[in-house]
């Protein structure tokens, strides 16, 4: 066992409980996020498709990663740690800010003068989120959970991450039950919109008009899901919009 509350950034995979533990999986995904953010920064000046693709890759990783944390990791931390509630609330507030910033980024074009500042702030909050998790939350969990529990949590987080919404939904509760109830409809709608976007790119915009009508319908359906009172259940005032 590493010394009390040592950051998971500097430990070996074995100390983290093996490749499948929640600690190793989180660290690997955070490293991937760093690479994707670097790519987005590199493409910012040239803009165009390359920058849009880079930003989409960041968004897809961030929203699936955070959604699965809120559904399985943070509830587990609240059960295991005496101060799990304020600690997870602080991270959920960062997630909420990222949701709101990316929603604003999505509605602005890369030539928008606010784009660089929105991007800079989004990446700063993401860096902060990673540091709080790797230096505070995850080391604390490591002290109270055994290797088997860390792996079980790792598998649950991984499975959920593969079936999570891929876009920002700042209105939905960051905590169960609202968060969990929103998962199925928003995952289906977000991933259908992702398919349309891929089809649009594959056909180089030749199906432009029918695809954008379909996309607007799916976006409208996601908006209707967000307006259901049930998906706000469990929300804390600190993260509500
Ligand atoms: Fe994380
Ligand atoms: Fe996070």
């Amino acid at each position: 066992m590493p010394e009390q509350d040592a950051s998971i950034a500097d430990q070996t995979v074995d100390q983290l409980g093996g490749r499948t533990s929640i600690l190793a999986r989180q660290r690997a995904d955070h490293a991937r996020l760093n690479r994707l953010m670097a790519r987005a920064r590199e493409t910012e000046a040239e803009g165009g498709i390359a920058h849009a693709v880079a930003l989409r890759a960041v968004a897809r990783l961030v929203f699936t990663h955070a959604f699965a944390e809120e559904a399985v990791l943070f509830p587990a931390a609240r059960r295991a740690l005496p101060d799990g509630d304020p600690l997870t609330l602080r991270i959920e507030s960062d997630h909420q800010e990222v949701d709101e910033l990316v929603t604003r980024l999505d509605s602005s074009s890369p030539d928008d003068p606010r784009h660089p500042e929105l991007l800079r702030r989004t990446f700063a909050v993401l860096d902060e989120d990673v540091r709080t998790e790797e230096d505070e939350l995850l080391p604390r969990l490591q002290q109270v959970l055994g290797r088997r529990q860390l792996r079980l949590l790792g598998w649950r987080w991984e499975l959920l991450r593969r079936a999570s919404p891929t876009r920002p939904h700042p209105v939905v509760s960051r905590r169960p039950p609202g968060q969990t109830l929103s998962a199925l409809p928003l995952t289906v709608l977000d991933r259908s919109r992702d398919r349309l976007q891929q089809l649009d790119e594959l056909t180089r915009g030749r199906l432009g008009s029918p695809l954008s009508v379909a996309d607007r319908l799916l976006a409208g359906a996601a908006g209707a899901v967000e307006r259901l009172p049930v998906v706000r259940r469990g929300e804390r005032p600190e993260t509500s919009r």
Side-chain angles (χ1 to χ4, degrees):
M1 172 84 51
E3 65 184 74
Q4 190 81 20
D5 292 0
S7 169
I8 67 157
D10 315 311
Q11 299 182 38
T12 65
V13 170
D14 187 54
Q15 283 177 313
L16 297 180
R19 262 186 324 105
T20 57
S21 96
I22 184 69
L23 309 178
R25 286 183 196 272
Q26 279 278 322
R27 190 174 67 181
D29 227 31
H30 294 161
R32 219 179 118 226
L33 171 64
N34 258 327
R35 292 194 293 273
L36 294 176
M37 287 197 295
R39 176 83 191 122
R41 284 191 190 100
E42 280 160 23
T43 52
E44 194 182 352
E46 68 183 272
I49 286 284
H51 186 54
V53 167
L55 282 184
R56 221 166 33 239
V58 171
R60 193 181 170 98
L61 184 144
V62 163
F63 295 119
T64 53
H65 179 109
F67 195 92
E69 285 176 348
E70 290 167 2
V72 300
L73 176 60
F74 299 167
R78 288 193 283 273
R79 284 191 297 272
L81 303 171
D83 63 343
D85 185 69
L87 185 51
T88 54
L89 187 58
R90 184 145 59 87
I91 305 175
E92 287 162 346
S93 301
D94 283 343
H95 288 184
Q96 179 67 22
E97 188 174 356
V98 170
D99 263 40
E100 292 176 13
L101 285 163
V102 175
T103 304
R104 286 172 65 194
L105 269 172
D106 281 349
S107 61
S108 75
S109 82
D111 331 312
D112 189 317
R114 293 169 309 168
H115 184 87
E117 177 50 26
L118 283 172
L119 198 60
R120 195 200 56 75
R121 179 67 197 152
T122 305
F123 287 1
V125 182
L126 286 171
D127 284 336
E128 207 174 287
D129 181 52
V130 167
R131 290 281 43 92
T132 315
E133 290 172 7
E134 292 198 2
D135 303 343
E136 296 183 55
L137 178 77
L138 297 168
R140 302 276 310 281
L141 269 185
Q142 187 177 30
Q143 295 298 325
V144 295
L145 299 183
R147 285 172 83 90
R148 204 180 145 269
Q149 287 169 302
L150 290 171
R151 286 182 185 170
L152 204 64
L153 202 49
W155 281 111
R156 287 176 58 214
W157 176 76
E158 181 65 39
L159 283 177
L160 211 88
R161 190 172 73 90
R162 288 166 190 250
S164 287
T166 59
R167 292 167 185 245
H169 298 287
V171 181
V172 169
S173 171
R174 306 223 77 92
R175 291 194 176 187
Q179 200 250 10
T180 327
L181 292 167
S182 74
L184 181 63
L186 291 180
T187 299
V188 171
L189 292 165
D190 282 1
R191 289 175 186 251
S192 304
R193 292 183 71 195
D194 294 346
R195 298 275 177 288
L196 289 181
Q197 204 157 35
Q198 282 165 357
L199 190 59
D200 189 43
E201 279 159 15
L202 274 173
T203 56
R204 295 174 196 274
R206 280 196 289 272
L207 298 170
S209 164
L211 286 187
S212 73
V213 170
D215 185 64
R216 276 205 299 280
L217 284 173
L218 291 169
V225 171
E226 287 177 355
R227 284 193 294 278
L228 294 171
V230 75
V231 304
R232 299 184 186 214
R233 279 174 54 197
E235 182 72 302
R236 295 282 293 262
E238 292 88 341
T239 56
S240 78
R241 188 168 100 160

